[in-house]
Amino acid sequence: HIDARVLANLNGRSEAADDARTIHLLARYYFKQAEWLSTAQQSALLTQRARAKVGLGNEDASYARRMARREASDDGRNRQDAQFLYELKGDRINEAILESYRAATVLDRKWYKAWHSLALRHYHETQRYETAHACITEDVVENHVVPAVHGFFRAIQLSKSDTTLQDTLRLLTAWFNYSQYESVAQAVQDGFNSVSIRTWLQVIPQILARIHIKSESTRRLIRQLLVEVGKAHPHAILFSLYVAARSDHTERSQAAKDVLAKLHDVFPELVEETEVVSRELIRITLLFPEMWLEALRNASMCYYGQKDVVEMMKILRPLHKRARNPETLREYHFVQMFGSDLAAAEEHLNQYFSTDPAHRNEALVQQAWELYYVVFRRIEKLFPKPSTLALKDTAPTLLQCRDMELAVPGTYDPDREIVYIQSFDPILMVYSSKQHPRRMFIYGSDGVKYTFLLKGREDLRQDERVMQLFGLINSLLSRDTETARRSL
């Protein structure tokens, strides 16, 4: 049994005696002991599973028999010892492992590996308990979740810049999964000031995804964190915040708008430039003809397929509103050609919804769809898919955006000089693939031409997570001697 208080006293006496090497070796000893106990526990579990499969008559039986024969071989004794140790202590081995890791952190408080392993063990113990019982208790929260949060914060504080992502992601998982517990929220709040604000730059997508989480205390902490990150690194967060502010989810949208409002007080011009650029880039990704074709397809499925007029109207109403306020040359041209038919169709639907639900005239909806059908066919005929687009016709405001204070999207690095947007290329290329993405060039203040792909009607958050995963894998490969030597 390892008493952390005794180790702390030993630590104090050893430092007084200037015996740093002894402390260093003791910390490594307890760390190795924890690793050995973990390996022994895992070996025992594998042996038990193999024995359970012997005689089942399935394809795993041969594997189980091989495992049983290996127990009788030279290294079988080690496996039997491991099982004996596991059976002897039962659940106590889990506490012994935690005590050993805890001892290593007490003896060497600046050792990243010990803090990382201790936090990870607490994290896995929480998962193990939740898997077995389908829920967790207050005791599990106090004994494992809160220590895991403290441990991950300490590991992040001690780690190098290329090792923080895995700890930060696990920290966020523990926080968000158990945010309803006040002790967890308090542990997270206490840890905020212990790590660099840069820690959160690499997990902005995960934080924004929970900006509307149910727990009020967690929502407040998330907004506070995003404001602090925005004040220190506005270029890293503004575009993502603007996208979240346009979300169809009311609470998510409002939460992002609240953060933007606070950042506007600090960086008014920067926030306004972000809004202009984001709005115009979104406008380019989906022009009026494409928007109406897609909307009419979806609305017709709601009406003719599901007989849902209300849902149909939810799809069409925003487009009618935009058609009443054209802004670019192409939008004015579209409204001149189809505005009267669309207005007449909208009037039929307004008449339909203006009456009592029990006495609504279905013929009004049919008359609206006769007009919509004519518009749909004319759009398909008169607006072939373009191969290029000119900014002067689709987003003339971007042509006026020069020498901005806003960084080129995706280029911000806190360790490098900021690359600002100098101008936008006046011509965009349209690809012929299904969603017709646009290729755009942005000229940076460093003289480099940056290429961007604008895609509408797609949720790119999954792509963002995959790129984040690849970045984590690359950092792990670079840290391994063998893979780094082979340039993997």
Side-chain angles (χ1 to χ4, degrees):
H1 182 74
I2 302 164
D3 193 326
R5 291 172 296 181
V6 174
L7 289 170
N9 292 333
L10 174 63
N11 189 20
R13 292 198 301 272
S14 297
E15 286 182 353
D18 197 23
D19 197 358
R21 180 170 176 78
T22 301
I23 297 174
H24 176 85
L25 291 175
L26 274 174
R28 270 63 187 170
Y29 163 77
Y30 284 119
F31 183 84
K32 287 296 183 182
Q33 178 173 274
E35 287 192 323
W36 179 81
L37 288 170
S38 299
T39 303
Q41 183 185 45
Q42 186 64 26
S43 297
L45 289 171
L46 289 174
T47 300
Q48 288 179 342
R49 291 171 185 167
R51 284 178 171 177
K53 291 179 180 178
V54 174
L56 295 179
N58 57 25
E59 59 183 6
D60 292 327
S62 60
Y63 167 75
R65 295 189 185 97
R66 287 200 304 273
M67 290 292 295
R69 286 197 297 269
R70 286 185 63 183
E71 289 185 23
S73 66
D74 291 338
D75 73 332
R77 185 172 183 177
N78 293 333
R79 293 178 175 272
Q80 290 171 353
D81 290 344
Q83 184 169 356
F84 173 77
L85 178 63
Y86 182 73
E87 291 174 349
L88 178 66
K89 291 193 174 185
D91 287 340
R92 287 171 53 198
I93 193 174
N94 294 317
E95 183 58 32
I97 293 169
L98 288 170
E99 286 184 354
S100 297
Y101 281 134
R102 201 177 297 123
T105 62
V106 170
L107 288 164
D108 190 345
R109 296 187 176 279
K110 296 184 178 181
W111 189 14
Y112 161 78
K113 195 172 183 180
W115 284 103
H116 165 77
S117 300
L118 175 62
L120 193 59
R121 185 71 192 189
H122 278 298
Y123 177 83
H124 287 158
E125 283 298 300
T126 304
Q127 291 184 316
R128 182 180 69 86
Y129 187 92
E130 190 169 19
T131 300
H133 301 87
C135 64
I136 64 170
T137 63
E138 289 283 353
D139 287 342
V140 174
V141 172
E142 296 300 326
N143 295 331
H144 293 299
V145 180
V146 173
V149 170
H150 285 309
F152 282 131
F153 268 117
R154 184 63 174 156
I156 293 168
Q157 185 181 5
L158 295 171
S159 66
K160 298 179 181 179
S161 59
D162 62 344
T163 61
T164 60
L165 180 57
Q166 55 184 324
D167 291 317
T168 308
L169 288 173
R170 288 192 177 105
L171 169 62
L172 291 181
T173 300
W175 178 22
F176 295 146
N177 285 354
Y178 310 108
S179 60
Q180 68 271 27
Y181 296 96
E182 199 61 37
S183 57
V184 176
Q186 187 61 50
V188 172
Q189 188 167 20
D190 293 342
F192 278 162
N193 295 329
S194 67
V195 298
S196 169
I197 198 70
R198 291 174 52 170
T199 300
W200 311 107
L201 295 180
Q202 55 193 340
V203 291
I204 291 297
Q206 282 80 7
I207 296 174
L208 282 173
R210 301 298 185 98
I211 196 173
H212 58 287
I213 197 168
K214 290 184 178 179
S215 171
E216 173 59 32
S217 60
T218 302
R219 284 203 308 272
R220 186 173 61 253
L221 283 176
I222 289 176
R223 294 179 195 182
Q224 174 188 334
L225 177 59
L226 289 173
V227 170
E228 294 303 317
V229 172
K231 288 179 179 179
H233 305 278
H235 299 282
I237 194 175
L238 284 176
F239 277 112
S240 298
L241 275 174
Y242 184 81
V243 172
R246 289 177 56 91
S247 171
D248 294 332
H249 193 292
T250 305
E251 293 181 357
R252 173 180 170 82
S253 174
Q254 188 57 51
K257 289 177 181 177
D258 291 343
V259 176
L260 282 172
K262 292 182 178 180
L263 293 179
H264 186 273
D265 295 337
V266 184
F267 308 105
E269 186 172 351
L270 194 57
V271 173
E272 290 168 8
E273 287 185 350
T274 302
E275 181 178 356
V276 169
V277 172
S278 299
R279 184 184 65 242
E280 296 305 310
L281 290 178
I282 292 171
R283 187 195 305 278
I284 294 171
T285 60
L286 214 56
L287 303 179
F288 263 25
E290 295 166 310
M291 290 171 57
W292 274 101
L293 285 177
E294 181 182 21
L296 290 174
R297 287 193 188 98
N298 294 335
S300 66
M301 290 176 61
C302 288
Y303 179 64
Y304 291 105
Q306 304 170 16
K307 302 300 180 181
D308 192 339
V309 184
V310 175
E311 190 65 28
M312 176 198 80
M313 200 59 188
K314 285 182 181 179
I315 297 173
L316 296 174
R317 185 174 284 114
L319 273 73
H320 280 294
K321 182 178 179 180
R322 283 202 60 181
R324 289 194 293 271
N325 300 281
E327 296 180 13
T328 69
L329 186 61
R330 275 180 172 263
E331 291 175 359
Y332 276 108
H333 179 57
F334 180 90
V335 171
Q336 286 178 349
M337 296 182 67
F338 305 104
S340 58
D341 286 341
L342 293 175
E346 184 183 19
E347 179 60 29
H348 288 314
L349 294 177
N350 288 338
Q351 291 178 21
Y352 173 83
F353 282 103
S354 65
T355 58
D356 184 81
H359 301 91
R360 285 174 178 171
N361 184 2
E362 196 69 24
L364 291 171
V365 183
Q366 294 292 341
Q367 292 174 18
W369 272 107
E370 290 175 4
L371 293 168
Y372 284 140
Y373 181 78
V374 172
V375 170
F376 185 89
R377 289 304 180 194
R378 289 181 62 199
I379 291 175
E380 283 192 321
K381 181 179 180 180
L382 299 176
F383 289 92
K385 304 301 180 183
S387 59
T388 59
L389 295 172
L391 282 187
K392 64 181 180 65
D393 299 328
T394 56
T397 304
L398 287 182
L399 289 178
Q400 304 170 17
C401 294
R402 293 180 173 274
D403 301 321
M404 308 185 77
E405 291 187 9
L406 188 63
V408 174
T411 63
Y412 179 74
D413 185 335
D415 294 322
R416 298 180 181 178
E417 185 177 352
I418 298 176
V419 180
Y420 299 99
I421 295 176
Q422 190 175 60
S423 63
F424 293 85
D425 194 288
I427 301 296
L428 290 80
M429 175 182 172
V430 181
Y431 291 97
S432 58
S433 55
K434 181 180 179 180
Q435 300 296 345
H436 303 288
R438 284 78 156 127
R439 187 186 69 185
M440 162 175 269
F441 296 117
I442 299 179
Y443 297 94
S445 57
D446 58 351
V448 177
K449 182 169 71 172
Y450 294 89
T451 305
F452 288 87
L453 191 67
L454 305 180
K455 300 177 73 175
R457 295 172 287 190
E458 286 190 26
D459 188 345
L460 300 182
R461 286 177 293 183
Q462 185 174 354
D463 296 30
E464 187 177 39
R465 300 300 192 279
V466 171
M467 292 174 65
Q468 195 177 45
L469 173 63
F470 288 163
L472 175 59
I473 292 173
N474 286 336
S475 68
L476 294 175
L477 290 174
S478 66
R479 288 165 51 201
D480 184 84
T481 305
E482 180 61 23
T483 55
R485 183 184 65 81
R486 297 165 62 185
S487 300
L488 294 178

